[in-house]
Amino acid sequence: MKKKIKLFDPVIDSKEEIAIKKILRSGFWASGSGIGNVAKFEGKFNKYIGSKSCVAVNSGTAALHLALSLANIKNQEVILPALSFVSTANAVLYNGGTPIFVDVDPKNLCINVESIKKSITKKTRVVLPVHFGGIPCELNDISNLCKKFKLILIEDAAHAAGSKYKNKKIGTHSFAVCFSFHPVKNLAMPVGGAITLNGNVKRDDLEKLKARRWCGISNRNEVNYQVNQLGWNYYMNEFSAAIGIEQLKKLDKTNMKRKKTARRYSNEINLNTKMPFDKNCSYHFYWILVNNRQRFMKKMKENNIETGIHYYPIHKFSLYNRNHKLPITEKISKKIVSLPIHPNLSESDIDKIINCVNKFS
Ligand SMILES: Cc1ncc(COP(=O)(O)O)c(C=O)c1O
């Protein structure tokens, strides 16, 4: 059988296997009673990013839910792109807010700053940009807008572990930044996520996040504890944390490999509409736009190359069904295809992907 080129593929070696075995045998699998890998991962990720503090949780979705819970968005509006994974918007609903979807910039598919400006109302409380595919959004402009209109900036950096903006890692620029460590992500775990906090973070915010990730529990002292707010069971587990510690050690190297492949795609794929090359991007995926997507994906599949669609626009799902008119998002989402760019691709895999894209697009 011919080898299939997968769309996503985590980079693992014996280090992850050893770490997993150690936890399995310790019998301490949960973080509360565990052997400290969650706290260790939090410290290491915080240091890697350069953020003020970090709270590890069990998914990017949980990170978004909890980060937005600090912003009191009930009956308030949150501005976000519709071109994202549905969790970005779900997190607004979990907190009783109203998502206001805006269009993206056709060059890099990140949120369009002019569209944010036009959508600000008296009810706007948060701007929630997504670093699409790992390309950093225009954070200076967005942050200036937020300052001017007294809005809170919270970033969805699910794709952007290791991306940079103005020489600083994504995760350091705003109040709260949300990461996903889903198995397909650049830093992969079985399940996992994190929130990094920066700037004028109150001790109270950090305590709130820590309580909310574990059933509202605070002031733990041996077997005693207090519960003074509602929380969820969002704790990261020890297995994920131990894998994350190993994944973090190789993140810069694996991101560099992704970047090298992106450079080849942007030079050698004969399409005008494709993801731009950006040395600050983590390249979680690489997108192209094709006219006949169904045919193109079928041909790629016949050639054992897996491709994907990121994303169907959220405002079109029946749960949301908003009357937003987002011409660029709607046009792009009919043509967008993601190509494999993970670090396990060989040079001959990359040759084959480029040849097939040029032949079938
Ligand atoms: C942009 C974006 N936001 C949020 C999430 C949610 O992360 P998780 O799957 O870890 O809950 C994802 C994950 O796929 C994502 O791509």
Side-chain angles (χ1 to χ4, degrees), residues 155-170:
E155 297 163 53
D156 183 337
H159 304 166
S163 290
K164 282 185 181 168
Y165 179 76
K166 306 265 181 217
N167 287 327
K168 278 170 69 191
K169 295 251 171 57
I170 290 292

Side-chain angles (χ1 to χ4, degrees), residues 140-198:
N140 267 6
D141 295 347
I142 299 172
S143 145
N144 286 340
L145 260 187
C146 288
K147 276 187 201 131
K148 186 170 168 196
F149 292 94
K150 295 196 169 47
L151 308 176
I152 300 168
L153 174 56
I154 295 178
E155 297 163 53
D156 183 337
H159 304 166
S163 290
K164 282 185 181 168
Y165 179 76
K166 306 265 181 217
N167 287 327
K168 278 170 69 191
K169 295 251 171 57
I170 290 292
T172 54
H173 300 84
S174 61
F175 169 64
V177 186
C178 303
F179 291 88
S180 162
F181 308 127
H182 179 282
V184 302
K185 296 295 191 293
N186 295 37
L187 193 165
M189 296 180 182
V191 281
I195 305 159
T196 59
L197 295 166
N198 302 287

Side-chain angles (χ1 to χ4, degrees), residues 59-61 64 84-85 87-88 130 156 158-159 180-182 185 192 311:
S59 68
T61 307
L64 286 160
S84 182
F85 184 59
S87 285
T88 317
V130 177
D156 183 337
H159 304 166
S180 162
F181 308 127
H182 179 282
K185 296 295 191 293
Y311 295 91

Side-chain angles (χ1 to χ4, degrees), residues 96 108 175 206 246 309:
N108 59 13
F175 169 64
L206 190 59
E246 295 307 324
I309 297 175

